Amino acid sequence: DIQLTQSPSILSASVGDRVTITCRASQSVTNWLAWYQQKPGKPPKLLIYKASISETGAPSRFSVSGSGTEFFLTISNLQPEDFAIYYCQQYETFPGTFGRGTKVEVK
Amino acid sequence: QVQLVQSGAEVKKPGASVKISCAASGYTFVSYYMHWVRQAPGQGLEWMGVVNPNGGDTDFAQEFKGRLAMTGDTSTQTVYMDLRSLRSDDTAIYYCARGAYDGSLSHFDHWGQGTLVTVSS
């Protein structure tokens, strides 16, 4: 199975900050990568798919880059509603796998 | 709008089975595969398997083969996930999630609210 390693596991930040989460794959996933946001007690919510396509309704302050084995999710001008856990998911190779998550918490 | 509504929380003893439902609405049920993803308490996400509501084809992660079943009922637009021989480490929230693409590999554009399954003697 493809392993996805997210870093950092916890990111402490303040409203207005710019933060970046990294997702590294154990082998290339080309651009078959998605990002999800999960808040406590809620299911994950799709933010980005196919590495760079924003889901309808995803705020423009979320941006992405990368391909192959290294991907980045950047949140610019962090808002209070952005404090959550973020997961990457690859769907290049069966079985689809998720990273262990990055918690963005209040500094 | 697309809605996936799951059945309620379950408490099961080790060795028992659990069957969770996921009622879909707001889209053409047979046009999208439905996946199941679980999340152990405080842990990450784990893909379990997928069912094609149009025909019933399934595909499962290796670790669940032999004790996992998934079915779809087109008359009620509901999919079911049946996990047998439950163990304590099956305690988790189970989500149904709609696949945006056909097949076993996809991202998930809509999720159910989750069903907590607790396995305890």
Side-chain angles (χ1 to χ4, degrees), chain A residues 11-16 37-40 75 78-86 103-107:
Chain A
L11 194 161
S12 299
S14 302
V15 172
Q37 176 193 66
Q38 188 178 31
K39 296 182 179 180
I75 313 172
L78 197 67
Q79 294 300 296
E81 60 267 30
D82 300 335
F83 293 100
I85 300 175
Y86 294 84
K103 182 179 183 180
V104 178
E105 65 174 22
V106 177
K107 189 172 185 180

PDB file of all heavy atoms in Angstrom, chain A residues 11-16 37-40 75 78-86 103-107:
ATOM      1  N   LEU A  11       0.133  21.663  14.064  1.00  0.00           N
ATOM      2  CA  LEU A  11       0.605  22.974  13.627  1.00  0.00           C
ATOM      3  C   LEU A  11      -0.134  24.015  14.468  1.00  0.00           C
ATOM      4  O   LEU A  11      -1.375  24.087  14.423  1.00  0.00           O
ATOM      5  CB  LEU A  11       0.298  23.142  12.135  1.00  0.00           C
ATOM      6  CG  LEU A  11       0.934  24.255  11.345  1.00  0.00           C
ATOM      7  CD1 LEU A  11       0.859  23.935   9.851  1.00  0.00           C
ATOM      8  CD2 LEU A  11       0.288  25.585  11.622  1.00  0.00           C
ATOM      9  N   SER A  12       0.599  24.794  15.238  1.00  0.00           N
ATOM     10  CA  SER A  12       0.012  25.841  16.066  1.00  0.00           C
ATOM     11  C   SER A  12       0.114  27.172  15.334  1.00  0.00           C
ATOM     12  O   SER A  12       1.204  27.554  14.890  1.00  0.00           O
ATOM     13  CB  SER A  12       0.720  25.927  17.409  1.00  0.00           C
ATOM     14  OG  SER A  12       0.601  24.696  18.110  1.00  0.00           O
ATOM     15  N   ALA A  13      -0.999  27.827  15.191  1.00  0.00           N
ATOM     16  CA  ALA A  13      -1.005  29.053  14.406  1.00  0.00           C
ATOM     17  C   ALA A  13      -2.053  30.023  14.941  1.00  0.00           C
ATOM     18  O   ALA A  13      -2.911  29.650  15.771  1.00  0.00           O
ATOM     19  CB  ALA A  13      -1.283  28.735  12.940  1.00  0.00           C
ATOM     20  N   SER A  14      -1.991  31.231  14.431  1.00  0.00           N
ATOM     21  CA  SER A  14      -2.912  32.291  14.849  1.00  0.00           C
ATOM     22  C   SER A  14      -3.748  32.748  13.662  1.00  0.00           C
ATOM     23  O   SER A  14      -3.334  32.576  12.496  1.00  0.00           O
ATOM     24  CB  SER A  14      -2.135  33.483  15.409  1.00  0.00           C
ATOM     25  OG  SER A  14      -1.329  33.090  16.501  1.00  0.00           O
ATOM     26  N   VAL A  15      -4.884  33.327  13.968  1.00  0.00           N
ATOM     27  CA  VAL A  15      -5.714  33.899  12.913  1.00  0.00           C
ATOM     28  C   VAL A  15      -4.893  34.905  12.114  1.00  0.00           C
ATOM     29  O   VAL A  15      -4.158  35.703  12.684  1.00  0.00           O
ATOM     30  CB  VAL A  15      -6.974  34.562  13.510  1.00  0.00           C
ATOM     31  CG1 VAL A  15      -7.753  35.325  12.430  1.00  0.00           C
ATOM     32  CG2 VAL A  15      -7.874  33.517  14.163  1.00  0.00           C
ATOM     33  N   GLY A  16      -4.988  34.788  10.794  1.00  0.00           N
ATOM     34  CA  GLY A  16      -4.237  35.665   9.910  1.00  0.00           C
ATOM     35  C   GLY A  16      -2.936  35.063   9.405  1.00  0.00           C
ATOM     36  O   GLY A  16      -2.354  35.581   8.443  1.00  0.00           O
ATOM     37  N   GLN A  37     -10.876  18.375   5.046  1.00  0.00           N
ATOM     38  CA  GLN A  37     -10.885  19.070   6.331  1.00  0.00           C
ATOM     39  C   GLN A  37     -11.893  18.363   7.232  1.00  0.00           C
ATOM     40  O   GLN A  37     -13.002  18.080   6.796  1.00  0.00           O
ATOM     41  CB  GLN A  37     -11.313  20.527   6.127  1.00  0.00           C
ATOM     42  CG  GLN A  37     -11.448  21.341   7.400  1.00  0.00           C
ATOM     43  CD  GLN A  37     -12.174  22.663   7.124  1.00  0.00           C
ATOM     44  OE1 GLN A  37     -13.349  22.677   6.786  1.00  0.00           O
ATOM     45  NE2 GLN A  37     -11.464  23.765   7.268  1.00  0.00           N
ATOM     46  N   GLN A  38     -11.500  18.104   8.465  1.00  0.00           N
ATOM     47  CA  GLN A  38     -12.432  17.486   9.402  1.00  0.00           C
ATOM     48  C   GLN A  38     -12.462  18.268  10.704  1.00  0.00           C
ATOM     49  O   GLN A  38     -11.421  18.531  11.308  1.00  0.00           O
ATOM     50  CB  GLN A  38     -12.070  16.030   9.684  1.00  0.00           C
ATOM     51  CG  GLN A  38     -13.132  15.310  10.513  1.00  0.00           C
ATOM     52  CD  GLN A  38     -12.825  13.853  10.764  1.00  0.00           C
ATOM     53  OE1 GLN A  38     -11.669  13.447  10.852  1.00  0.00           O
ATOM     54  NE2 GLN A  38     -13.878  13.025  10.870  1.00  0.00           N
ATOM     55  N   LYS A  39     -13.668  18.612  11.121  1.00  0.00           N
ATOM     56  CA  LYS A  39     -13.866  19.290  12.406  1.00  0.00           C
ATOM     57  C   LYS A  39     -14.434  18.289  13.399  1.00  0.00           C
ATOM     58  O   LYS A  39     -15.042  17.277  12.995  1.00  0.00           O
ATOM     59  CB  LYS A  39     -14.786  20.494  12.210  1.00  0.00           C
ATOM     60  CG  LYS A  39     -14.158  21.548  11.310  1.00  0.00           C
ATOM     61  CD  LYS A  39     -15.027  22.762  11.147  1.00  0.00           C
ATOM     62  CE  LYS A  39     -14.330  23.780  10.262  1.00  0.00           C
ATOM     63  NZ  LYS A  39     -15.138  25.002  10.055  1.00  0.00           N
ATOM     64  N   PRO A  40     -14.280  18.562  14.687  1.00  0.00           N
ATOM     65  CA  PRO A  40     -14.715  17.588  15.715  1.00  0.00           C
ATOM     66  C   PRO A  40     -16.177  17.192  15.559  1.00  0.00           C
ATOM     67  O   PRO A  40     -17.050  18.050  15.395  1.00  0.00           O
ATOM     68  CB  PRO A  40     -14.471  18.352  17.025  1.00  0.00           C
ATOM     69  CG  PRO A  40     -13.368  19.298  16.709  1.00  0.00           C
ATOM     70  CD  PRO A  40     -13.604  19.726  15.299  1.00  0.00           C
ATOM     71  N   ILE A  75      -2.789  27.352   3.606  1.00  0.00           N
ATOM     72  CA  ILE A  75      -3.934  28.167   3.998  1.00  0.00           C
ATOM     73  C   ILE A  75      -3.402  29.569   4.253  1.00  0.00           C
ATOM     74  O   ILE A  75      -2.557  29.769   5.135  1.00  0.00           O
ATOM     75  CB  ILE A  75      -4.637  27.643   5.254  1.00  0.00           C
ATOM     76  CG1 ILE A  75      -4.884  26.131   5.170  1.00  0.00           C
ATOM     77  CG2 ILE A  75      -5.964  28.378   5.466  1.00  0.00           C
ATOM     78  CD1 ILE A  75      -5.398  25.502   6.463  1.00  0.00           C
ATOM     79  N   LEU A  78      -5.276  32.599   7.749  1.00  0.00           N
ATOM     80  CA  LEU A  78      -6.010  31.595   8.514  1.00  0.00           C
ATOM     81  C   LEU A  78      -7.203  32.228   9.234  1.00  0.00           C
ATOM     82  O   LEU A  78      -7.065  33.265   9.894  1.00  0.00           O
ATOM     83  CB  LEU A  78      -5.063  30.951   9.523  1.00  0.00           C
ATOM     84  CG  LEU A  78      -5.461  29.631  10.171  1.00  0.00           C
ATOM     85  CD1 LEU A  78      -5.494  28.503   9.149  1.00  0.00           C
ATOM     86  CD2 LEU A  78      -4.492  29.309  11.301  1.00  0.00           C
ATOM     87  N   GLN A  79      -8.357  31.601   9.076  1.00  0.00           N
ATOM     88  CA  GLN A  79      -9.588  32.085   9.703  1.00  0.00           C
ATOM     89  C   GLN A  79      -9.988  31.176  10.869  1.00  0.00           C
ATOM     90  O   GLN A  79      -9.578  30.008  10.923  1.00  0.00           O
ATOM     91  CB  GLN A  79     -10.703  32.141   8.669  1.00  0.00           C
ATOM     92  CG  GLN A  79     -10.462  33.161   7.574  1.00  0.00           C
ATOM     93  CD  GLN A  79     -10.344  34.563   8.123  1.00  0.00           C
ATOM     94  OE1 GLN A  79     -11.306  35.110   8.691  1.00  0.00           O
ATOM     95  NE2 GLN A  79      -9.169  35.181   7.981  1.00  0.00           N
ATOM     96  N   PRO A  80     -10.801  31.678  11.792  1.00  0.00           N
ATOM     97  CA  PRO A  80     -11.185  30.838  12.951  1.00  0.00           C
ATOM     98  C   PRO A  80     -11.790  29.503  12.558  1.00  0.00           C
ATOM     99  O   PRO A  80     -11.574  28.499  13.233  1.00  0.00           O
ATOM    100  CB  PRO A  80     -12.213  31.731  13.674  1.00  0.00           C
ATOM    101  CG  PRO A  80     -11.838  33.118  13.302  1.00  0.00           C
ATOM    102  CD  PRO A  80     -11.322  33.044  11.898  1.00  0.00           C
ATOM    103  N   GLU A  81     -12.513  29.485  11.449  1.00  0.00           N
ATOM    104  CA  GLU A  81     -13.176  28.239  11.039  1.00  0.00           C
ATOM    105  C   GLU A  81     -12.218  27.249  10.383  1.00  0.00           C
ATOM    106  O   GLU A  81     -12.608  26.126  10.045  1.00  0.00           O
ATOM    107  CB  GLU A  81     -14.338  28.542  10.083  1.00  0.00           C
ATOM    108  CG  GLU A  81     -13.957  29.241   8.792  1.00  0.00           C
ATOM    109  CD  GLU A  81     -14.059  30.762   8.898  1.00  0.00           C
ATOM    110  OE1 GLU A  81     -13.867  31.310  10.018  1.00  0.00           O
ATOM    111  OE2 GLU A  81     -14.330  31.417   7.856  1.00  0.00           O
ATOM    112  N   ASP A  82     -10.959  27.652  10.211  1.00  0.00           N
ATOM    113  CA  ASP A  82      -9.979  26.766   9.580  1.00  0.00           C
ATOM    114  C   ASP A  82      -9.271  25.862  10.579  1.00  0.00           C
ATOM    115  O   ASP A  82      -8.512  24.974  10.168  1.00  0.00           O
ATOM    116  CB  ASP A  82      -8.936  27.576   8.810  1.00  0.00           C
ATOM    117  CG  ASP A  82      -9.544  28.421   7.706  1.00  0.00           C
ATOM    118  OD1 ASP A  82     -10.645  28.062   7.212  1.00  0.00           O
ATOM    119  OD2 ASP A  82      -8.926  29.437   7.340  1.00  0.00           O
ATOM    120  N   PHE A  83      -9.468  26.107  11.880  1.00  0.00           N
ATOM    121  CA  PHE A  83      -8.843  25.240  12.880  1.00  0.00           C
ATOM    122  C   PHE A  83      -9.555  23.892  12.836  1.00  0.00           C
ATOM    123  O   PHE A  83     -10.753  23.784  13.125  1.00  0.00           O
ATOM    124  CB  PHE A  83      -8.880  25.891  14.254  1.00  0.00           C
ATOM    125  CG  PHE A  83      -8.022  27.110  14.331  1.00  0.00           C
ATOM    126  CD1 PHE A  83      -8.567  28.383  14.233  1.00  0.00           C
ATOM    127  CD2 PHE A  83      -6.644  26.995  14.464  1.00  0.00           C
ATOM    128  CE1 PHE A  83      -7.770  29.519  14.273  1.00  0.00           C
ATOM    129  CE2 PHE A  83      -5.834  28.126  14.510  1.00  0.00           C
ATOM    130  CZ  PHE A  83      -6.393  29.387  14.407  1.00  0.00           C
ATOM    131  N   ALA A  84      -8.812  22.880  12.446  1.00  0.00           N
ATOM    132  CA  ALA A  84      -9.390  21.577  12.122  1.00  0.00           C
ATOM    133  C   ALA A  84      -8.246  20.599  11.860  1.00  0.00           C
ATOM    134  O   ALA A  84      -7.072  20.961  11.974  1.00  0.00           O
ATOM    135  CB  ALA A  84     -10.284  21.675  10.894  1.00  0.00           C
ATOM    136  N   ILE A  85      -8.624  19.379  11.501  1.00  0.00           N
ATOM    137  CA  ILE A  85      -7.633  18.385  11.079  1.00  0.00           C
ATOM    138  C   ILE A  85      -7.731  18.233   9.559  1.00  0.00           C
ATOM    139  O   ILE A  85      -8.835  18.166   9.012  1.00  0.00           O
ATOM    140  CB  ILE A  85      -7.849  17.039  11.780  1.00  0.00           C
ATOM    141  CG1 ILE A  85      -7.737  17.210  13.297  1.00  0.00           C
ATOM    142  CG2 ILE A  85      -6.833  16.004  11.282  1.00  0.00           C
ATOM    143  CD1 ILE A  85      -8.047  15.951  14.090  1.00  0.00           C
ATOM    144  N   TYR A  86      -6.585  18.170   8.918  1.00  0.00           N
ATOM    145  CA  TYR A  86      -6.524  18.065   7.464  1.00  0.00           C
ATOM    146  C   TYR A  86      -5.892  16.726   7.079  1.00  0.00           C
ATOM    147  O   TYR A  86      -4.857  16.344   7.631  1.00  0.00           O
ATOM    148  CB  TYR A  86      -5.744  19.230   6.866  1.00  0.00           C
ATOM    149  CG  TYR A  86      -6.476  20.545   7.076  1.00  0.00           C
ATOM    150  CD1 TYR A  86      -6.344  21.249   8.266  1.00  0.00           C
ATOM    151  CD2 TYR A  86      -7.347  21.038   6.107  1.00  0.00           C
ATOM    152  CE1 TYR A  86      -7.051  22.425   8.486  1.00  0.00           C
ATOM    153  CE2 TYR A  86      -8.054  22.211   6.316  1.00  0.00           C
ATOM    154  CZ  TYR A  86      -7.900  22.899   7.517  1.00  0.00           C
ATOM    155  OH  TYR A  86      -8.610  24.063   7.731  1.00  0.00           O
ATOM    156  N   LYS A 103      -3.226  18.408  12.502  1.00  0.00           N
ATOM    157  CA  LYS A 103      -4.146  19.220  13.294  1.00  0.00           C
ATOM    158  C   LYS A 103      -3.655  20.654  13.308  1.00  0.00           C
ATOM    159  O   LYS A 103      -2.524  20.927  13.747  1.00  0.00           O
ATOM    160  CB  LYS A 103      -4.263  18.692  14.716  1.00  0.00           C
ATOM    161  CG  LYS A 103      -5.250  19.471  15.575  1.00  0.00           C
ATOM    162  CD  LYS A 103      -5.342  18.888  16.971  1.00  0.00           C
ATOM    163  CE  LYS A 103      -6.374  19.624  17.822  1.00  0.00           C
ATOM    164  NZ  LYS A 103      -6.468  19.064  19.186  1.00  0.00           N
ATOM    165  N   VAL A 104      -4.483  21.562  12.826  1.00  0.00           N
ATOM    166  CA  VAL A 104      -4.182  22.986  12.901  1.00  0.00           C
ATOM    167  C   VAL A 104      -4.892  23.525  14.129  1.00  0.00           C
ATOM    168  O   VAL A 104      -6.134  23.533  14.182  1.00  0.00           O
ATOM    169  CB  VAL A 104      -4.619  23.715  11.621  1.00  0.00           C
ATOM    170  CG1 VAL A 104      -4.341  25.214  11.744  1.00  0.00           C
ATOM    171  CG2 VAL A 104      -3.901  23.130  10.410  1.00  0.00           C
ATOM    172  N   GLU A 105      -4.096  23.932  15.115  1.00  0.00           N
ATOM    173  CA  GLU A 105      -4.668  24.357  16.388  1.00  0.00           C
ATOM    174  C   GLU A 105      -4.316  25.812  16.687  1.00  0.00           C
ATOM    175  O   GLU A 105      -3.376  26.374  16.092  1.00  0.00           O
ATOM    176  CB  GLU A 105      -4.174  23.458  17.513  1.00  0.00           C
ATOM    177  CG  GLU A 105      -2.703  23.545  17.775  1.00  0.00           C
ATOM    178  CD  GLU A 105      -2.278  22.741  19.004  1.00  0.00           C
ATOM    179  OE1 GLU A 105      -2.998  21.804  19.419  1.00  0.00           O
ATOM    180  OE2 GLU A 105      -1.215  23.069  19.567  1.00  0.00           O
ATOM    181  N   VAL A 106      -5.045  26.375  17.626  1.00  0.00           N
ATOM    182  CA  VAL A 106      -4.825  27.763  18.010  1.00  0.00           C
ATOM    183  C   VAL A 106      -3.533  27.876  18.814  1.00  0.00           C
ATOM    184  O   VAL A 106      -3.302  27.137  19.763  1.00  0.00           O
ATOM    185  CB  VAL A 106      -6.007  28.303  18.830  1.00  0.00           C
ATOM    186  CG1 VAL A 106      -5.729  29.722  19.295  1.00  0.00           C
ATOM    187  CG2 VAL A 106      -7.292  28.226  18.027  1.00  0.00           C
ATOM    188  N   LYS A 107      -2.688  28.809  18.412  1.00  0.00           N
ATOM    189  CA  LYS A 107      -1.414  29.020  19.093  1.00  0.00           C
ATOM    190  C   LYS A 107      -1.651  29.694  20.440  1.00  0.00           C
ATOM    191  O   LYS A 107      -2.469  30.653  20.509  1.00  0.00           O
ATOM    192  CB  LYS A 107      -0.513  29.885  18.210  1.00  0.00           C
ATOM    193  CG  LYS A 107       0.903  30.011  18.683  1.00  0.00           C
ATOM    194  CD  LYS A 107       1.722  30.720  17.617  1.00  0.00           C
ATOM    195  CE  LYS A 107       3.172  30.752  18.005  1.00  0.00           C
ATOM    196  NZ  LYS A 107       3.989  31.449  16.966  1.00  0.00           N
TER     197      LYS A 107
END
